[in-house]
Amino acid sequence: MHEKLSSIYDNVLRRNPGETEFHQAVREVLESIGPVLGKHPEYAESKIIERICEPERQIIFRVPWADDRGEVQINRGFRVEFNGALGPYKGGLRFHPSVYLGIVKFLGFEQIFKNSLTGLPIGGGKGGSDFDPKGRSDREVMRFCQSFMTELYRHIGEYTDVPAGDIGVGGREIGYLFGQYKRITNRYESGVITGKGLAYGGAQVRTEATGYGCAFFVDEMLKARGTSFDGRRVTVSGSGNVAVYTIEKIEQLGGRVVACSDSSGYVLDEKGIDLDLLKQIKQVERGRLNVYAERRGHNATFVAGRNVWEVPCEVAMPSATQNEITGRDAAVMVGNGCIAVGEGANMPTTPEGIKVFLEAGVAFGPGKAANAGGVATSALEMQQNASRDSWTFEFSEHRLEEIMRDIHDRCLQTADEYGMPGDYVAGANIDGFRRVADAMLALGLI
Ligand code: NDP
């Protein structure tokens, strides 16, 4: 790492003790942007990097609610408004027991550069809670969401901060959150949250956008190397929102997805994942993955407690959570013939894993570029809400595809410009950083 950046990084470690995921996300960006400082001394003079590593605002709050037995439960809520240079803070809410400030800050930090890469006017933020929706009734989830929004509402707004979904926050939760916001404020302010249902201000393709976008991105990486998804053997981790629509688009593009997972293990289905069955179990019944193998019969096996990356694949689409591909996993994948990786999840590959992929010449699409289709389509939802318009599925998907191809091309061009051809990690970090840095310079010391 560049000497000046190394001392900034040491300061980040000292000022944010114990937040290991945040440290990892900062380190990855700082390791890429050294060459930019050589070309732009004005960034260092204005301490742009020190400022970018410090959130503009961090909100932590108590979320009390009563479960179905009448017992009082207390969770912790977070919203980190990281950087508003490009537009209102924008980023999802995660409900998962592992959530703490360090996770929210890593996600918010990544979000700044991802949102910048989309080219759309959105700043970076993220939030969530250590609440676990798994095993909770709809009424419990509703009471939790209402209590969460009873505090959050005063911090958000269509021109201020616009949350959306993430792990554990899908259409059901967004509906309850928006309903409570509307009740408290007495405003039908559709642009305050994205990922809404189509019946009340949602946008076509938002549900599918992250997965579809990631598949488009990898399709572009493959094309840049003169190949395609056609007939390729693909594995996907997770079986939530991102995973399901990644599988759907890859199947449409001619790939064969043979495995996906959840936190209990993975299913291997050599004939290709049956999406209707997967959606029924995961989206309708909110069930576990072993049920997929039971109903699919002899075609599929469920492997409990094991890691999906042991299944040989040509293309891997990590779509579950952070740090799910270690250096050792990456080495196994490369040994099995993996030629491309598209990060649907945020930071799913450890730094050691990324190193293995890059050294082996694997086409590696980092999350802040490859999964930017979700937030880009959220910005399109805000655009439709502001103009009281709604676009067709075909038009919205076409816009998404254009945005993903544009992000892909800019990452490649920027990597070339800085003498690192084919390095999408450097391309994404540098291109995302430059736009935010220029906006921060223009806005003065605020
Ligand atoms: P969902 O909650 O819909 O699905 C998450 C999936 O990942 C589930 O199958 C879940 O299994 C699995 N999973 C989650 N945590 C773990 C864990 N600790 N260990 C093993 N498996 C785990 O979330 P999304 O699909 O929305 O999000 C997935 C990833 O994509 C996250 O990294 C998110 O930040 C990222 N992302 C999401 C976007 C979106 O639009 N939704 C946009 C951009 C990025 P189980 O049910 O068993 O917990």
Side-chain angles (χ1 to χ4, degrees), residues 263-283:
S263 54
S264 62
Y266 69 84
V267 281
L268 178 61
D269 188 344
E270 289 290 350
K271 290 207 164 152
I273 297 289
D274 177 340
L275 251 188
D276 289 339
L277 179 58
L278 185 67
K279 284 183 180 173
Q280 171 64 27
I281 292 166
K282 282 291 169 183
Q283 298 180 342

Side-chain angles (χ1 to χ4, degrees), residues 45-60:
E45 282 154 23
S46 310
K47 297 216 167 149
I48 292 288
I49 298 148
E50 290 89 329
R51 282 155 63 193
I52 242 174
C53 293
E54 185 68 26
E56 287 177 18
R57 193 172 297 110
Q58 309 183 52
I59 302 143
I60 304 181

Side-chain angles (χ1 to χ4, degrees), residues 286-309:
R286 297 181 188 274
R288 311 304 297 157
L289 216 44
N290 61 312
V291 177
Y292 175 95
E294 283 160 25
R295 291 207 202 145
R296 182 87 158 128
H298 61 274
N299 286 335
T301 34
F302 175 70
V303 183
R306 302 278 303 192
N307 185 337
V308 69
W309 307 122

Side-chain angles (χ1 to χ4, degrees), residues 71-113:
E71 206 169 296
V72 172
Q73 303 283 341
I74 311 288
N75 286 98
R76 189 170 285 174
F78 301 89
R79 188 72 185 165
V80 173
E81 298 177 335
F82 223 118
N83 193 298
L86 297 180
Y89 310 107
K90 182 88 197 84
L93 299 171
R94 175 177 292 191
F95 292 169
H96 191 272
S98 62
V99 167
Y100 77 107
L101 188 60
I103 295 260
V104 181
K105 278 165 71 177
F106 119 64
L107 291 164
F109 186 75
E110 290 266 301
Q111 198 81 44
I112 303 170
F113 307 98

